Amino acid sequence: MEWTDWMEEFYLSLLKQGWTLTQIDEMDIFYYFKLLRRTEKKQKDDDLAKFDSLGLM
């Protein structure tokens, strides 16, 4: 997947969530990526904690 394909998917997903093109263009993209990474890390940590509580790790 090229970066342009990814960017199109990104824009489309935000539009489906109710964002406007102006809102997308004006957002701080790097802060948004930081939030996404934080959310993904938290999900990963939560998943690992579940495995640990089951004695699978």
Side-chain angles (χ1 to χ4, degrees), residues 2 6 11 16-17 21 30 51 53 57:
E2 295 186 30
W6 182 88
Y11 266 65
K16 287 179 184 176
Q17 294 175 43
L21 284 174
F30 294 107
F51 282 114
S53 70
M57 292 189 61

Side-chain angles (χ1 to χ4, degrees), residues 33-47:
F33 289 153
K34 181 179 176 180
L35 291 175
L36 284 178
R37 186 173 58 243
R38 181 178 179 183
T39 302
E40 289 173 359
K41 182 182 180 323
K42 182 177 180 340
Q43 182 62 48
K44 182 179 177 182
D45 291 346
D46 290 348
D47 290 345

